[in-house]
Amino acid sequence: MSAGELPSLEECLETHLPEAELSHVRRILFGKETAKLELPPCALAAAAERHFELKGCGFDAAPEQLRPPRKVRVGLIQNHIVLPTDAPVAEQVAALHGRIAEMVEVAAMCGVNIVCFQETWTMPFAFCTREKEPWTEFAESAEDGVTTRFCQELAKKYNMVVVSPILERDELHGTLWNTAVVVSNSGAVLGSSRKNHIPRIGDFNESTYYMEGNSGHSVFQTQFGRIAVNICYGRHHPLNWFLFSLNGAEIIFNPSATVGALSEPMWAIEARNAAIANHCFTCAINRVGTEHFQSEFTSGDGRKAHHDFGHFYGSSYVAAPDGSRSPGLSRTQDGLLVVELDLNLNRQVSDRWSFKMTGRYAEYAEELARAVGPDFRPNVVKEF
């Protein structure tokens, strides 16, 4: 456990609240209680042996007369980096491949159909340092880089869709991108989704490393449903979620790397809000641990120079369109969250609340078109 860090909100509540009060608090905080998902003893034993948390739960939908259930299992993986940040680049990548391989094997034991890793999972989150070397050496091809080939092998071996967020090097244009590669359960690369929004907040000033994405709001049709990837900072932009949903996403993954001092109050809210507003499932994945760098760096905000970015607080979770959400993973441990979703719930909630049907999109589009024009004037009515 990271020194001085709260292991998890759920554990704290369970420790200190009486059972009668705990059930009400859970309902208020997390919505309808998720179903318990029985995980194989072999998976639980393997997770314990490999020192990571394993949790499972499920979201049910009401039985329908004309549609059978559409049940899919997703796996969310959060993890520390394995080697120190000053270890050779190839060794760091290989060590992370090894760690993820043993966690994905447990996901397969649990029947996971789609697995998603954290943002730029093959490297330390070095964008805070402002140094280009050696961090840009972690960038690789989305189509045939060593990590994509590794994920193709996992996908074929376990009949599993793999969402692999990496730092991408586009050799043709000499550009770096923050990219999620989507590998089909057949082993084929379905495509990639590039991060649409670049943060410029203190240590989160990543614009010197990579460009805003140019892949639009792609949605990938897989054997297990239509998925999209809204990388990290994109979760702060409601229209980003909306456009993935507008293109038909049933599950939107949000692989992230974010620290407690900056964003934790928002973390439990944003993906859940997006699930509610867009009648779809959302999956929020955050890395865990504190990563130390050899060179000091500053944030330009008056803080003293520092060697670490802060504590990545994990807490990965899944949110459903009915406003409920799963328990989160630990704030301090590696973990795998296995969640069974019935995708029929998306349409059932949409039929009940009709947020999309009642949205005034033509009116919004007209006003947005005016707002981005050079002669825009806010529509403010004044008394004098």
PDB file of all heavy atoms in Angstrom, residues 273-307:
ATOM      1  N   ASN A 273     -21.987  10.368 -14.736  1.00  0.00           N
ATOM      2  CA  ASN A 273     -22.841  11.343 -15.422  1.00  0.00           C
ATOM      3  C   ASN A 273     -22.970  11.004 -16.902  1.00  0.00           C
ATOM      4  O   ASN A 273     -24.062  11.098 -17.488  1.00  0.00           O
ATOM      5  CB  ASN A 273     -22.262  12.759 -15.291  1.00  0.00           C
ATOM      6  CG  ASN A 273     -22.534  13.378 -13.941  1.00  0.00           C
ATOM      7  OD1 ASN A 273     -23.325  12.855 -13.159  1.00  0.00           O
ATOM      8  ND2 ASN A 273     -21.881  14.485 -13.656  1.00  0.00           N
ATOM      9  N   ALA A 274     -21.837  10.619 -17.505  1.00  0.00           N
ATOM     10  CA  ALA A 274     -21.855  10.307 -18.937  1.00  0.00           C
ATOM     11  C   ALA A 274     -22.719   9.089 -19.228  1.00  0.00           C
ATOM     12  O   ALA A 274     -23.434   9.052 -20.239  1.00  0.00           O
ATOM     13  CB  ALA A 274     -20.433  10.081 -19.433  1.00  0.00           C
ATOM     14  N   ALA A 275     -22.676   8.090 -18.355  1.00  0.00           N
ATOM     15  CA  ALA A 275     -23.516   6.901 -18.545  1.00  0.00           C
ATOM     16  C   ALA A 275     -24.991   7.273 -18.491  1.00  0.00           C
ATOM     17  O   ALA A 275     -25.801   6.802 -19.306  1.00  0.00           O
ATOM     18  CB  ALA A 275     -23.195   5.857 -17.474  1.00  0.00           C
ATOM     19  N   ILE A 276     -25.344   8.122 -17.545  1.00  0.00           N
ATOM     20  CA  ILE A 276     -26.738   8.553 -17.389  1.00  0.00           C
ATOM     21  C   ILE A 276     -27.183   9.367 -18.603  1.00  0.00           C
ATOM     22  O   ILE A 276     -28.232   9.101 -19.203  1.00  0.00           O
ATOM     23  CB  ILE A 276     -26.900   9.384 -16.105  1.00  0.00           C
ATOM     24  CG1 ILE A 276     -26.622   8.523 -14.864  1.00  0.00           C
ATOM     25  CG2 ILE A 276     -28.297   9.991 -16.028  1.00  0.00           C
ATOM     26  CD1 ILE A 276     -26.448   9.341 -13.584  1.00  0.00           C
ATOM     27  N   ALA A 277     -26.393  10.362 -18.962  1.00  0.00           N
ATOM     28  CA  ALA A 277     -26.797  11.303 -20.006  1.00  0.00           C
ATOM     29  C   ALA A 277     -26.867  10.653 -21.384  1.00  0.00           C
ATOM     30  O   ALA A 277     -27.666  11.074 -22.226  1.00  0.00           O
ATOM     31  CB  ALA A 277     -25.825  12.481 -20.047  1.00  0.00           C
ATOM     32  N   ASN A 278     -26.044   9.618 -21.601  1.00  0.00           N
ATOM     33  CA  ASN A 278     -25.929   9.044 -22.941  1.00  0.00           C
ATOM     34  C   ASN A 278     -26.521   7.647 -23.073  1.00  0.00           C
ATOM     35  O   ASN A 278     -26.384   7.011 -24.117  1.00  0.00           O
ATOM     36  CB  ASN A 278     -24.450   9.018 -23.343  1.00  0.00           C
ATOM     37  CG  ASN A 278     -23.888  10.416 -23.485  1.00  0.00           C
ATOM     38  OD1 ASN A 278     -24.285  11.165 -24.376  1.00  0.00           O
ATOM     39  ND2 ASN A 278     -22.979  10.784 -22.595  1.00  0.00           N
ATOM     40  N   HIS A 279     -27.216   7.160 -22.022  1.00  0.00           N
ATOM     41  CA  HIS A 279     -27.871   5.849 -22.081  1.00  0.00           C
ATOM     42  C   HIS A 279     -26.914   4.752 -22.531  1.00  0.00           C
ATOM     43  O   HIS A 279     -27.189   3.974 -23.449  1.00  0.00           O
ATOM     44  CB  HIS A 279     -29.078   5.892 -23.030  1.00  0.00           C
ATOM     45  CG  HIS A 279     -30.120   6.910 -22.666  1.00  0.00           C
ATOM     46  ND1 HIS A 279     -30.539   7.136 -21.369  1.00  0.00           N
ATOM     47  CD2 HIS A 279     -30.847   7.767 -23.435  1.00  0.00           C
ATOM     48  CE1 HIS A 279     -31.474   8.069 -21.362  1.00  0.00           C
ATOM     49  NE2 HIS A 279     -31.673   8.475 -22.594  1.00  0.00           N
ATOM     50  N   CYS A 280     -25.726   4.697 -21.883  1.00  0.00           N
ATOM     51  CA  CYS A 280     -24.762   3.661 -22.217  1.00  0.00           C
ATOM     52  C   CYS A 280     -23.945   3.324 -20.974  1.00  0.00           C
ATOM     53  O   CYS A 280     -24.032   4.007 -19.952  1.00  0.00           O
ATOM     54  CB  CYS A 280     -23.849   4.099 -23.368  1.00  0.00           C
ATOM     55  SG  CYS A 280     -22.784   5.492 -22.959  1.00  0.00           S
ATOM     56  N   PHE A 281     -23.160   2.269 -21.053  1.00  0.00           N
ATOM     57  CA  PHE A 281     -22.242   1.926 -19.971  1.00  0.00           C
ATOM     58  C   PHE A 281     -20.931   2.683 -20.157  1.00  0.00           C
ATOM     59  O   PHE A 281     -20.476   2.888 -21.284  1.00  0.00           O
ATOM     60  CB  PHE A 281     -21.966   0.418 -19.956  1.00  0.00           C
ATOM     61  CG  PHE A 281     -23.112  -0.406 -19.461  1.00  0.00           C
ATOM     62  CD1 PHE A 281     -24.005  -0.979 -20.360  1.00  0.00           C
ATOM     63  CD2 PHE A 281     -23.306  -0.609 -18.099  1.00  0.00           C
ATOM     64  CE1 PHE A 281     -25.062  -1.762 -19.907  1.00  0.00           C
ATOM     65  CE2 PHE A 281     -24.369  -1.380 -17.641  1.00  0.00           C
ATOM     66  CZ  PHE A 281     -25.254  -1.953 -18.538  1.00  0.00           C
ATOM     67  N   THR A 282     -20.329   3.086 -19.047  1.00  0.00           N
ATOM     68  CA  THR A 282     -19.016   3.723 -19.095  1.00  0.00           C
ATOM     69  C   THR A 282     -18.076   3.000 -18.140  1.00  0.00           C
ATOM     70  O   THR A 282     -18.484   2.538 -17.074  1.00  0.00           O
ATOM     71  CB  THR A 282     -19.084   5.212 -18.721  1.00  0.00           C
ATOM     72  OG1 THR A 282     -19.625   5.353 -17.401  1.00  0.00           O
ATOM     73  CG2 THR A 282     -19.952   5.985 -19.715  1.00  0.00           C
ATOM     74  N   CYS A 283     -16.806   2.916 -18.525  1.00  0.00           N
ATOM     75  CA  CYS A 283     -15.804   2.180 -17.751  1.00  0.00           C
ATOM     76  C   CYS A 283     -14.611   3.098 -17.506  1.00  0.00           C
ATOM     77  O   CYS A 283     -13.889   3.447 -18.450  1.00  0.00           O
ATOM     78  CB  CYS A 283     -15.346   0.946 -18.514  1.00  0.00           C
ATOM     79  SG  CYS A 283     -16.676  -0.199 -18.949  1.00  0.00           S
ATOM     80  N   ALA A 284     -14.413   3.502 -16.252  1.00  0.00           N
ATOM     81  CA  ALA A 284     -13.345   4.425 -15.890  1.00  0.00           C
ATOM     82  C   ALA A 284     -12.171   3.649 -15.299  1.00  0.00           C
ATOM     83  O   ALA A 284     -12.335   2.949 -14.305  1.00  0.00           O
ATOM     84  CB  ALA A 284     -13.873   5.441 -14.882  1.00  0.00           C
ATOM     85  N   ILE A 285     -10.995   3.763 -15.922  1.00  0.00           N
ATOM     86  CA  ILE A 285      -9.801   3.032 -15.485  1.00  0.00           C
ATOM     87  C   ILE A 285      -8.713   4.046 -15.154  1.00  0.00           C
ATOM     88  O   ILE A 285      -8.381   4.897 -15.979  1.00  0.00           O
ATOM     89  CB  ILE A 285      -9.273   2.081 -16.587  1.00  0.00           C
ATOM     90  CG1 ILE A 285     -10.372   1.139 -17.081  1.00  0.00           C
ATOM     91  CG2 ILE A 285      -8.073   1.291 -16.097  1.00  0.00           C
ATOM     92  CD1 ILE A 285     -10.954   1.524 -18.416  1.00  0.00           C
ATOM     93  N   ASN A 286      -8.133   3.951 -13.961  1.00  0.00           N
ATOM     94  CA  ASN A 286      -7.066   4.865 -13.552  1.00  0.00           C
ATOM     95  C   ASN A 286      -5.864   4.069 -13.068  1.00  0.00           C
ATOM     96  O   ASN A 286      -6.023   3.078 -12.362  1.00  0.00           O
ATOM     97  CB  ASN A 286      -7.559   5.776 -12.427  1.00  0.00           C
ATOM     98  CG  ASN A 286      -6.553   6.856 -12.052  1.00  0.00           C
ATOM     99  OD1 ASN A 286      -5.733   7.258 -12.874  1.00  0.00           O
ATOM    100  ND2 ASN A 286      -6.605   7.298 -10.817  1.00  0.00           N
ATOM    101  N   ARG A 287      -4.661   4.521 -13.404  1.00  0.00           N
ATOM    102  CA  ARG A 287      -3.481   3.819 -12.908  1.00  0.00           C
ATOM    103  C   ARG A 287      -3.328   4.045 -11.402  1.00  0.00           C
ATOM    104  O   ARG A 287      -4.053   4.844 -10.799  1.00  0.00           O
ATOM    105  CB  ARG A 287      -2.219   4.193 -13.679  1.00  0.00           C
ATOM    106  CG  ARG A 287      -1.679   5.585 -13.451  1.00  0.00           C
ATOM    107  CD  ARG A 287      -0.282   5.751 -14.091  1.00  0.00           C
ATOM    108  NE  ARG A 287      -0.283   5.495 -15.522  1.00  0.00           N
ATOM    109  CZ  ARG A 287       0.809   5.191 -16.229  1.00  0.00           C
ATOM    110  NH1 ARG A 287       1.984   5.076 -15.639  1.00  0.00           N
ATOM    111  NH2 ARG A 287       0.748   4.971 -17.526  1.00  0.00           N
ATOM    112  N   VAL A 288      -2.365   3.368 -10.801  1.00  0.00           N
ATOM    113  CA  VAL A 288      -2.229   3.402  -9.347  1.00  0.00           C
ATOM    114  C   VAL A 288      -0.752   3.509  -8.988  1.00  0.00           C
ATOM    115  O   VAL A 288       0.124   3.062  -9.726  1.00  0.00           O
ATOM    116  CB  VAL A 288      -2.891   2.145  -8.714  1.00  0.00           C
ATOM    117  CG1 VAL A 288      -2.118   0.891  -9.049  1.00  0.00           C
ATOM    118  CG2 VAL A 288      -3.071   2.291  -7.219  1.00  0.00           C
ATOM    119  N   GLY A 289      -0.474   4.171  -7.854  1.00  0.00           N
ATOM    120  CA  GLY A 289       0.897   4.274  -7.363  1.00  0.00           C
ATOM    121  C   GLY A 289       1.492   5.657  -7.543  1.00  0.00           C
ATOM    122  O   GLY A 289       0.885   6.560  -8.120  1.00  0.00           O
ATOM    123  N   THR A 290       2.710   5.832  -7.037  1.00  0.00           N
ATOM    124  CA  THR A 290       3.460   7.080  -7.181  1.00  0.00           C
ATOM    125  C   THR A 290       4.731   6.774  -7.961  1.00  0.00           C
ATOM    126  O   THR A 290       5.469   5.854  -7.604  1.00  0.00           O
ATOM    127  CB  THR A 290       3.815   7.674  -5.811  1.00  0.00           C
ATOM    128  OG1 THR A 290       2.609   7.892  -5.072  1.00  0.00           O
ATOM    129  CG2 THR A 290       4.544   9.005  -5.965  1.00  0.00           C
ATOM    130  N   GLU A 291       4.982   7.530  -9.010  1.00  0.00           N
ATOM    131  CA  GLU A 291       6.109   7.276  -9.905  1.00  0.00           C
ATOM    132  C   GLU A 291       7.158   8.367  -9.715  1.00  0.00           C
ATOM    133  O   GLU A 291       6.845   9.558  -9.832  1.00  0.00           O
ATOM    134  CB  GLU A 291       5.606   7.201 -11.351  1.00  0.00           C
ATOM    135  CG  GLU A 291       4.573   6.092 -11.516  1.00  0.00           C
ATOM    136  CD  GLU A 291       3.896   6.062 -12.885  1.00  0.00           C
ATOM    137  OE1 GLU A 291       4.297   6.847 -13.774  1.00  0.00           O
ATOM    138  OE2 GLU A 291       2.971   5.245 -13.067  1.00  0.00           O
ATOM    139  N   HIS A 292       8.383   7.964  -9.434  1.00  0.00           N
ATOM    140  CA  HIS A 292       9.458   8.903  -9.118  1.00  0.00           C
ATOM    141  C   HIS A 292      10.403   9.047 -10.305  1.00  0.00           C
ATOM    142  O   HIS A 292      10.763   8.059 -10.955  1.00  0.00           O
ATOM    143  CB  HIS A 292      10.230   8.414  -7.884  1.00  0.00           C
ATOM    144  CG  HIS A 292       9.370   8.294  -6.667  1.00  0.00           C
ATOM    145  ND1 HIS A 292       9.105   9.355  -5.824  1.00  0.00           N
ATOM    146  CD2 HIS A 292       8.702   7.227  -6.144  1.00  0.00           C
ATOM    147  CE1 HIS A 292       8.316   8.954  -4.837  1.00  0.00           C
ATOM    148  NE2 HIS A 292       8.057   7.667  -5.011  1.00  0.00           N
ATOM    149  N   PHE A 293      10.829  10.295 -10.553  1.00  0.00           N
ATOM    150  CA  PHE A 293      11.699  10.594 -11.686  1.00  0.00           C
ATOM    151  C   PHE A 293      13.014  11.183 -11.197  1.00  0.00           C
ATOM    152  O   PHE A 293      13.064  11.890 -10.194  1.00  0.00           O
ATOM    153  CB  PHE A 293      10.995  11.549 -12.657  1.00  0.00           C
ATOM    154  CG  PHE A 293       9.749  10.951 -13.252  1.00  0.00           C
ATOM    155  CD1 PHE A 293       8.509  11.154 -12.661  1.00  0.00           C
ATOM    156  CD2 PHE A 293       9.830  10.141 -14.368  1.00  0.00           C
ATOM    157  CE1 PHE A 293       7.363  10.581 -13.195  1.00  0.00           C
ATOM    158  CE2 PHE A 293       8.692   9.556 -14.912  1.00  0.00           C
ATOM    159  CZ  PHE A 293       7.454   9.776 -14.322  1.00  0.00           C
ATOM    160  N   GLN A 294      14.073  10.879 -11.946  1.00  0.00           N
ATOM    161  CA  GLN A 294      15.415  11.253 -11.530  1.00  0.00           C
ATOM    162  C   GLN A 294      15.589  12.770 -11.505  1.00  0.00           C
ATOM    163  O   GLN A 294      16.165  13.329 -10.567  1.00  0.00           O
ATOM    164  CB  GLN A 294      16.430  10.613 -12.479  1.00  0.00           C
ATOM    165  CG  GLN A 294      17.849  10.607 -11.974  1.00  0.00           C
ATOM    166  CD  GLN A 294      18.744   9.713 -12.821  1.00  0.00           C
ATOM    167  OE1 GLN A 294      18.547   9.590 -14.032  1.00  0.00           O
ATOM    168  NE2 GLN A 294      19.743   9.092 -12.204  1.00  0.00           N
ATOM    169  N   SER A 295      15.082  13.447 -12.520  1.00  0.00           N
ATOM    170  CA  SER A 295      15.221  14.899 -12.601  1.00  0.00           C
ATOM    171  C   SER A 295      14.029  15.581 -11.950  1.00  0.00           C
ATOM    172  O   SER A 295      12.885  15.166 -12.143  1.00  0.00           O
ATOM    173  CB  SER A 295      15.323  15.347 -14.064  1.00  0.00           C
ATOM    174  OG  SER A 295      16.425  14.743 -14.689  1.00  0.00           O
ATOM    175  N   GLU A 296      14.302  16.646 -11.200  1.00  0.00           N
ATOM    176  CA  GLU A 296      13.211  17.434 -10.641  1.00  0.00           C
ATOM    177  C   GLU A 296      12.489  18.183 -11.756  1.00  0.00           C
ATOM    178  O   GLU A 296      13.085  18.502 -12.792  1.00  0.00           O
ATOM    179  CB  GLU A 296      13.757  18.445  -9.628  1.00  0.00           C
ATOM    180  CG  GLU A 296      14.223  17.857  -8.321  1.00  0.00           C
ATOM    181  CD  GLU A 296      14.638  18.943  -7.352  1.00  0.00           C
ATOM    182  OE1 GLU A 296      15.363  19.869  -7.782  1.00  0.00           O
ATOM    183  OE2 GLU A 296      14.253  18.867  -6.171  1.00  0.00           O
ATOM    184  N   PHE A 297      11.222  18.472 -11.531  1.00  0.00           N
ATOM    185  CA  PHE A 297      10.469  19.267 -12.499  1.00  0.00           C
ATOM    186  C   PHE A 297       9.509  20.175 -11.744  1.00  0.00           C
ATOM    187  O   PHE A 297       9.186  19.943 -10.581  1.00  0.00           O
ATOM    188  CB  PHE A 297       9.720  18.374 -13.498  1.00  0.00           C
ATOM    189  CG  PHE A 297       8.824  17.350 -12.869  1.00  0.00           C
ATOM    190  CD1 PHE A 297       7.481  17.616 -12.630  1.00  0.00           C
ATOM    191  CD2 PHE A 297       9.315  16.090 -12.512  1.00  0.00           C
ATOM    192  CE1 PHE A 297       6.656  16.667 -12.053  1.00  0.00           C
ATOM    193  CE2 PHE A 297       8.495  15.141 -11.945  1.00  0.00           C
ATOM    194  CZ  PHE A 297       7.160  15.421 -11.710  1.00  0.00           C
ATOM    195  N   THR A 298       9.080  21.222 -12.406  1.00  0.00           N
ATOM    196  CA  THR A 298       8.156  22.179 -11.790  1.00  0.00           C
ATOM    197  C   THR A 298       6.881  22.273 -12.603  1.00  0.00           C
ATOM    198  O   THR A 298       6.838  21.889 -13.770  1.00  0.00           O
ATOM    199  CB  THR A 298       8.788  23.583 -11.696  1.00  0.00           C
ATOM    200  OG1 THR A 298       9.096  24.032 -13.025  1.00  0.00           O
ATOM    201  CG2 THR A 298      10.056  23.562 -10.864  1.00  0.00           C
ATOM    202  N   SER A 299       5.860  22.825 -11.962  1.00  0.00           N
ATOM    203  CA  SER A 299       4.550  22.917 -12.596  1.00  0.00           C
ATOM    204  C   SER A 299       4.239  24.323 -13.104  1.00  0.00           C
ATOM    205  O   SER A 299       3.199  24.540 -13.696  1.00  0.00           O
ATOM    206  CB  SER A 299       3.455  22.522 -11.586  1.00  0.00           C
ATOM    207  OG  SER A 299       3.748  21.287 -11.015  1.00  0.00           O
ATOM    208  N   GLY A 300       5.102  25.274 -12.807  1.00  0.00           N
ATOM    209  CA  GLY A 300       4.795  26.649 -13.182  1.00  0.00           C
ATOM    210  C   GLY A 300       3.676  27.242 -12.345  1.00  0.00           C
ATOM    211  O   GLY A 300       2.999  28.176 -12.765  1.00  0.00           O
ATOM    212  N   ASP A 301       3.447  26.675 -11.142  1.00  0.00           N
ATOM    213  CA  ASP A 301       2.367  27.155 -10.295  1.00  0.00           C
ATOM    214  C   ASP A 301       2.865  27.568  -8.912  1.00  0.00           C
ATOM    215  O   ASP A 301       2.103  27.659  -7.954  1.00  0.00           O
ATOM    216  CB  ASP A 301       1.281  26.076 -10.142  1.00  0.00           C
ATOM    217  CG  ASP A 301       1.806  24.775  -9.555  1.00  0.00           C
ATOM    218  OD1 ASP A 301       3.013  24.714  -9.210  1.00  0.00           O
ATOM    219  OD2 ASP A 301       1.025  23.818  -9.438  1.00  0.00           O
ATOM    220  N   GLY A 302       4.182  27.789  -8.796  1.00  0.00           N
ATOM    221  CA  GLY A 302       4.736  28.236  -7.524  1.00  0.00           C
ATOM    222  C   GLY A 302       5.177  27.126  -6.597  1.00  0.00           C
ATOM    223  O   GLY A 302       5.807  27.389  -5.572  1.00  0.00           O
ATOM    224  N   ARG A 303       4.840  25.884  -6.924  1.00  0.00           N
ATOM    225  CA  ARG A 303       5.279  24.762  -6.089  1.00  0.00           C
ATOM    226  C   ARG A 303       6.788  24.562  -6.231  1.00  0.00           C
ATOM    227  O   ARG A 303       7.380  24.880  -7.263  1.00  0.00           O
ATOM    228  CB  ARG A 303       4.568  23.475  -6.504  1.00  0.00           C
ATOM    229  CG  ARG A 303       3.102  23.409  -6.191  1.00  0.00           C
ATOM    230  CD  ARG A 303       2.466  22.177  -6.815  1.00  0.00           C
ATOM    231  NE  ARG A 303       3.094  20.947  -6.332  1.00  0.00           N
ATOM    232  CZ  ARG A 303       3.024  19.780  -6.970  1.00  0.00           C
ATOM    233  NH1 ARG A 303       2.387  19.695  -8.123  1.00  0.00           N
ATOM    234  NH2 ARG A 303       3.603  18.718  -6.468  1.00  0.00           N
ATOM    235  N   LYS A 304       7.398  24.012  -5.176  1.00  0.00           N
ATOM    236  CA  LYS A 304       8.801  23.650  -5.263  1.00  0.00           C
ATOM    237  C   LYS A 304       8.987  22.559  -6.306  1.00  0.00           C
ATOM    238  O   LYS A 304       8.080  21.777  -6.575  1.00  0.00           O
ATOM    239  CB  LYS A 304       9.291  23.155  -3.908  1.00  0.00           C
ATOM    240  CG  LYS A 304       9.451  24.245  -2.868  1.00  0.00           C
ATOM    241  CD  LYS A 304      10.032  23.670  -1.578  1.00  0.00           C
ATOM    242  CE  LYS A 304      10.248  24.775  -0.550  1.00  0.00           C
ATOM    243  NZ  LYS A 304      10.833  24.229   0.713  1.00  0.00           N
ATOM    244  N   ALA A 305      10.193  22.501  -6.861  1.00  0.00           N
ATOM    245  CA  ALA A 305      10.494  21.414  -7.801  1.00  0.00           C
ATOM    246  C   ALA A 305      10.335  20.076  -7.094  1.00  0.00           C
ATOM    247  O   ALA A 305      10.614  19.950  -5.903  1.00  0.00           O
ATOM    248  CB  ALA A 305      11.912  21.578  -8.337  1.00  0.00           C
ATOM    249  N   HIS A 306       9.851  19.097  -7.826  1.00  0.00           N
ATOM    250  CA  HIS A 306       9.529  17.810  -7.224  1.00  0.00           C
ATOM    251  C   HIS A 306       9.944  16.669  -8.151  1.00  0.00           C
ATOM    252  O   HIS A 306      10.130  16.859  -9.346  1.00  0.00           O
ATOM    253  CB  HIS A 306       8.032  17.713  -6.896  1.00  0.00           C
ATOM    254  CG  HIS A 306       7.134  18.313  -7.926  1.00  0.00           C
ATOM    255  ND1 HIS A 306       6.930  19.680  -8.064  1.00  0.00           N
ATOM    256  CD2 HIS A 306       6.392  17.750  -8.901  1.00  0.00           C
ATOM    257  CE1 HIS A 306       6.098  19.916  -9.054  1.00  0.00           C
ATOM    258  NE2 HIS A 306       5.767  18.761  -9.587  1.00  0.00           N
ATOM    259  N   HIS A 307      10.047  15.458  -7.561  1.00  0.00           N
ATOM    260  CA  HIS A 307      10.479  14.278  -8.303  1.00  0.00           C
ATOM    261  C   HIS A 307       9.326  13.349  -8.650  1.00  0.00           C
ATOM    262  O   HIS A 307       9.530  12.352  -9.341  1.00  0.00           O
ATOM    263  CB  HIS A 307      11.518  13.490  -7.498  1.00  0.00           C
ATOM    264  CG  HIS A 307      12.850  14.150  -7.396  1.00  0.00           C
ATOM    265  ND1 HIS A 307      13.826  14.064  -8.366  1.00  0.00           N
ATOM    266  CD2 HIS A 307      13.369  14.940  -6.420  1.00  0.00           C
ATOM    267  CE1 HIS A 307      14.891  14.746  -8.001  1.00  0.00           C
ATOM    268  NE2 HIS A 307      14.648  15.291  -6.816  1.00  0.00           N
TER     269      HIS A 307
END
